Structures are given as structure tokens and as C-alpha cells.
Amino acid sequence: MRRKFIAGNWKMNLSRAESVALASGLAQQLGDATDVDVAVCPPSVYLDAVHQAISGSHIALGAQNMYHEAAGAYTGEISASMLQDVGCAYVILGHSERRHVLGETDAAINLKVQAALAAGLLPIVCVGEKLEEREAGQTASVVKTQFEGSLAGLTAEQMQQTVIAYEPVWAIGTGKVASPAQAEAVHADLRKLLETSYNSEVAAAVRIQYGGSVKPSNAAELLGQPNIDGALVGGASLKVEDFMGIISGARA
Ligand code: PEP
């Protein structure tokens, strides 16, 4: 049985004080509940402060990106061990904004995924098609290429530690959400890919989140689909009430 996993991607939003207030508010509201896994991914400069704010709670900390090298002359970059040092358990890799705004390729993402796993960080690896690709009927092939490229070379054990996030680019931050049927179809394809690339045990174990305009009002229906195991949430993760509403949707 895959436990639902709700992660908040705060992107480049909030001040330090706002980040701490949001993290503290969530920790308070979540209390002792452990039926849903929850993580927050603040901007890297606030990871330490947020880590302190959630200490003693069941909320895990995640980063939004990292570099694949362990250390050295890579100005502006952050390594997996540095993220662990400030309390991160997870790292989002290959988010569509990094793919399409910052030019990250599947090969670059794969290096990061390998480095994260080698260091003991759990990657949340994003895949998803652009609107023109969906309209051209290319969704399945785009997602397959990203899956094969970003996750190349992972052992079965490493794959089981990895979370996949299906995030159709046209649904991110746009208010346009994929219908539960549209999302479920891609999640089912991804699970088949896991089965053919690995085996049925791996396919049954890996959690696949949906991301793209998830909010309290649509969370329960999306999260009720058989192959949707959680959500990667952008905009609605910036308010305690909205994020908690999505967590409630995971329990429905
Ligand atoms: C995201 O950035 O991962 C995301 C899904 O954003 P939003 O929820 O705002 O669409």
C-alpha cells in the first residue's frame, strides 16, 4: 500500500519570516498525524530556518534543486550533502521550470538524480508535457522519453526510493487542472513503464504524484485515482489552510 505523499514547492516565494510562519503553522495544524507523508520545499536560503520551524513535527524538508558534483568550484551551486546538512530528506529535480526556463536536459537531471540517491537524498523527479505536445498527441512519448532519460541507470532499489511527479506543463500555475481521467491515464502509463523497465514489485511500490493547479477543491478527486499517490503543490502550498485542505483531500 503506497502512503499518500503531499509536497509543497514554494518556488521563489515568501520572505524568511513568512517561510517560518508558514512552516510553523503547518506543523501546528498537522499535529501528530502520520497517515499522509508531508514535505515542504522552501527556497534554499530558508531551508535552515524552516528546518528549525518544523523540528519535532512529522513534516519533512525538501530542496527545489541541487548540483550533481559533491564539492568544488561551482559558483552558486549547492550539493546533495549540503542539503542533507541543513536537514533535507527530499530534493525536487527536473521541475518543468528548470527544464524549460533554465534549460535543464534529461541528461543533466539524471546526473542529479544519481548524485542525490548516492548521498541518501530522496529525489522527486518531475516529468510532463507542454500544451503543444499534448495537442499533438505526444504526451505518452514525451513522458516516456523524460522517464527513460531522467531516471536512466537506477537500480530497482534506487527506483523504489524515488518519487515521480507527473506535472503537465500547461497545468502548472495556470489554474487549468488535468481532469482526474487525464492525469490517471498518464500515471497508469508511468506505472507500466516501471513494470517493463523493472518489475511488478517496483511498479507497485513507487509513488507517483500529480502536480498542476491542485487545490483543496480538486484534491480529493485527483488523489482518489488508483495510480495517483500524492501531489506536488505550488501556489496552494503557500497558505496553511489551502495546503491543509489538500492533505485532507488525500485522506478522503
Ligand atoms: C508546481 O510548481 O510543481 C506546481 C504544480 O504548481 P501549481 O500547483 O501552482 O500549479
Side-chain angles (χ1 to χ4, degrees):
M1 185 66 187
R2 298 179 296 270
R3 197 188 343 220
K4 294 275 196 286
F5 177 31
I6 309 295
N9 173 13
W10 297 359
K11 309 194 187 185
M12 197 172 74
N13 292 301
L14 306 178
S15 65
R16 178 188 171 94
E18 288 166 338
S19 297
V20 168
L22 175 55
S24 309
L26 289 171
Q28 199 180 18
Q29 294 269 314
L30 202 59
D32 288 337
T34 54
D35 52 342
V36 175
D37 287 342
V38 176
V40 292
C41 306
S44 56
V45 289
Y46 303 139
L47 283 167
D48 215 1
V50 169
H51 184 230
Q52 287 177 39
I54 58 176
S55 88
S57 80
H58 296 292
I59 302 175
L61 189 66
Q64 299 174 18
N65 185 35
M66 54 164 262
Y67 195 56
H68 66 272
E69 293 287 355
Y74 304 104
T75 302
E77 297 296 334
I78 300 174
S79 71
S81 65
M82 290 171 182
L83 294 180
Q84 281 184 315
D85 206 15
V86 291
C88 287
Y90 292 95
V91 59
I92 300 171
L93 294 173
H95 190 279
S96 68
E97 286 146 19
R98 297 214 59 89
R99 288 178 184 270
H100 303 305
V101 182
L102 294 147
E104 277 189 18
T105 61
D106 283 323
I109 295 159
N110 184 239
L111 289 174
K112 295 182 182 198
V113 173
Q114 300 270 7
L117 286 163
L121 273 180
L122 306 174
I124 300 173
V125 182
C126 305
V127 297
E129 81 288 1
K130 296 193 246 179
L131 183 58
E132 59 268 31
E133 293 166 337
R134 173 160 283 265
E135 287 175 347
Q138 295 166 347
T139 299
S141 66
V142 167
V143 167
K144 182 171 190 275
T145 301
Q146 292 176 340
F147 171 94
E148 289 173 348
S150 304
L151 299 168
L154 267 57
T155 64
E157 196 191 328
Q158 288 177 320
M159 190 65 243
Q160 290 189 58
Q161 292 167 348
T162 301
V163 176
I164 299 174
Y166 167 56
E167 300 208 305
V169 180
W170 49 272
I172 296 179
T174 58
K176 280 188 212 163
V177 62
S179 69
Q182 281 175 321
E184 170 60 20
V186 180
H187 283 237
D189 282 353
L190 280 163
R191 208 166 302 283
K192 270 193 218 111
L193 281 171
L194 286 164
E195 186 160 1
T196 47
S197 310
Y198 294 91
N199 54 48
S200 53
E201 194 193 331
V202 172
V206 173
R207 291 188 291 189
I208 309 175
Q209 296 176 315
Y210 167 79
S213 300
V214 178
K215 37 188 188 268
S217 59
N218 59 27
E221 206 185 348
L222 284 160
L223 294 166
Q225 302 302 307
N227 287 293
I228 300 186
D229 308 313
L232 181 55
V233 186
S237 70
L238 299 174
K239 287 197 181 132
V240 173
E241 199 185 316
D242 289 349
F243 197 56
M244 288 306 301
I246 292 168
I247 294 167
S248 298
R251 297 188 171 116

